[in-house]
């Protein structure tokens, strides 16, 4: 990485620890913001372009763990290096997971973060995740389809079509069941692939945006990537800004048949 945060070889960009930052590379734009109620920004992202491959990583520090901002920073740096170098998401996850685990001085005092990554190449979108940062497909009409399932009891119930609110679940139901860190459960990331049948936008976001369930109600999926990322960040701030906010937008134009596969 150069002094400006960009990789001189691949164009990868990582932005961490800033109250607000915006970045754009060909075909991908990102915004991060501290929000209104947090003392620091514990989100991190990295974007990169190499040949025909666009790569994105978003990590959200787990606020109940120490040095969660360092965990998120470490994870995005390790993962983007693998992805822009031609590696797959599983390999990027393992590199990030190992690096974050090494931050712990003792297992009970382990920095932790979520993990979300995407690669767009040859008309195909690949997404991998652990935790509750989410990826969405926005079609040209603004309809949003979530491609990920939160690693929490509430997330699993929602994915199964259960009305979690009706079950009167405690706040613990939203607690993460998987994360990156020395004390994290073992396992590989969840993976899905998508071949869009029409144009749209892939959006990756931390829960500083997605905690507000109406974020996609009035979104115009045809606006530019940077404008979309800015619009969604502004929405989250206006809705209360209760958490750090990170939004990455990747416009995709393809006539390939759309299908999501686990």
């Amino acid at each position: 990485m150069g002094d400006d945060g960009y990789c001189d070889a691949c164009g990868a960009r990582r932005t961490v620890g800033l109250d607000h930052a915006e970045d754009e590379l060909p075909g991908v734009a990102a915004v991060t913001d501290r929000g209104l109620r947090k003392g620091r920004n514990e989100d991190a992202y990295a974007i990169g372009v190499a040949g025909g491959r666009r790569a994105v990583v978003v990590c959200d520090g787990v606020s109940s763990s120490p040095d969660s901002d360092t965990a998120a920073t470490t994870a995005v740096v390790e993962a983007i290096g693998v992805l822009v170098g031609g590696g797959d998401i599983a390999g990027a996850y393992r590199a990030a997971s190992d690096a974050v685990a090494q931050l712990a001085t003792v297992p009970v005092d382990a920095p932790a973060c979520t993990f979300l990554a995407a690669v767009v190449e040859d008309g195909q979108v690949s997404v991998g995740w652990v935790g509750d940062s989410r990826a969405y497909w926005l079609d040209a009409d603004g309809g949003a389809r979530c491609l990920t399932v939160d690693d929490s009891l509430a997330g699993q119930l929602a994915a199964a079509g259960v009305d979690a609110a009706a079950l009167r679940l405690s706040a613990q139901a939203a607690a993460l069941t998987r994360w990156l860190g020395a004390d994290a459960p073992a396992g590989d990331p969840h993976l899905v692939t998508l071949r869009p049948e029409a144009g749209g936008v892939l959006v990756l976001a931390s829960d500083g945006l997605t905690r507000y369930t109406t974020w996609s109600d009035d979104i115009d999926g045809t606006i530019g990537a940077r404008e979309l990322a800015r619009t969604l960040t502004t929405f989250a701030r206006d809705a209360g800004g209760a958490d750090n906010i990170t939004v990455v937008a990747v416009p995709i134009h393809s006539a390939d048949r759309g299908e999501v596969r686990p």
Side-chain angles (χ1 to χ4, degrees):
M1 289 287 176
D3 293 338
D4 60 357
Y6 286 93
C7 174
D8 295 332
C10 67
R13 168 68 167 167
R14 56 182 172 83
T15 301
V16 296
L18 301 178
D19 282 357
H20 184 91
E22 301 183 13
D23 290 293
E24 189 169 17
L25 292 173
V28 56
V31 175
T32 189
D33 191 275
R34 179 172 59 86
L36 302 177
R37 302 185 189 178
K38 294 287 187 177
R40 63 181 180 180
N41 192 350
E42 297 175 343
D43 282 2
Y45 69 71
I47 59 177
V49 177
R53 168 176 284 211
R54 288 174 283 172
V56 177
V57 185
V58 172
C59 294
D60 180 358
V62 178
S63 59
S64 59
S65 72
D67 299 322
S68 59
D69 54 338
T70 302
T73 301
T74 299
V76 299
V77 170
E78 293 295 327
I80 200 67
V82 173
L83 295 178
V84 297
D88 60 16
I89 291 176
Y93 169 79
R94 288 190 291 269
S97 181
D98 290 346
V100 173
Q102 292 175 20
L103 297 174
T105 54
V106 293
V108 295
D109 193 33
C113 65
T114 67
F115 176 88
L116 175 64
V119 171
V120 178
E121 189 173 33
D122 297 330
Q124 178 169 291
V125 178
S126 301
V127 177
W129 76 97
V130 165
D132 61 358
S133 296
R134 297 179 184 173
Y136 289 82
W137 176 251
L138 301 185
D139 60 33
D141 296 326
R145 176 165 57 122
C146 189
L147 305 178
T148 56
V149 176
D150 291 356
D151 279 315
S152 66
L153 174 58
Q156 297 296 319
L157 289 172
V162 177
D163 184 351
L167 295 178
R168 298 181 181 179
L169 295 176
S170 71
Q172 293 300 316
L176 294 179
T177 55
R178 293 193 64 195
W179 58 92
L180 269 69
D183 58 350
D188 293 326
H190 311 285
L191 297 169
V192 297
T193 60
L194 170 70
R195 298 194 72 89
E197 60 185 8
V201 183
L202 177 69
V203 171
L204 286 77
S206 64
D207 64 350
L209 171 68
T210 61
R211 66 171 53 234
Y212 301 111
T213 57
T214 61
W215 69 267
S216 64
D217 286 357
D218 298 312
I219 288 300
D220 180 355
T222 65
I223 64 177
R226 191 160 193 161
E227 183 181 356
L228 177 59
R230 284 174 171 172
T231 297
L232 293 176
T233 301
T234 299
F235 168 86
R237 285 179 58 88
D238 290 346
D243 203 349
N244 307 145
I245 308 151
T246 297
V247 182
V248 183
V250 187
I252 297 167
H253 307 282
S254 174
D256 294 334
R257 182 182 178 191
E259 182 180 1
V260 174
R261 303 192 304 272

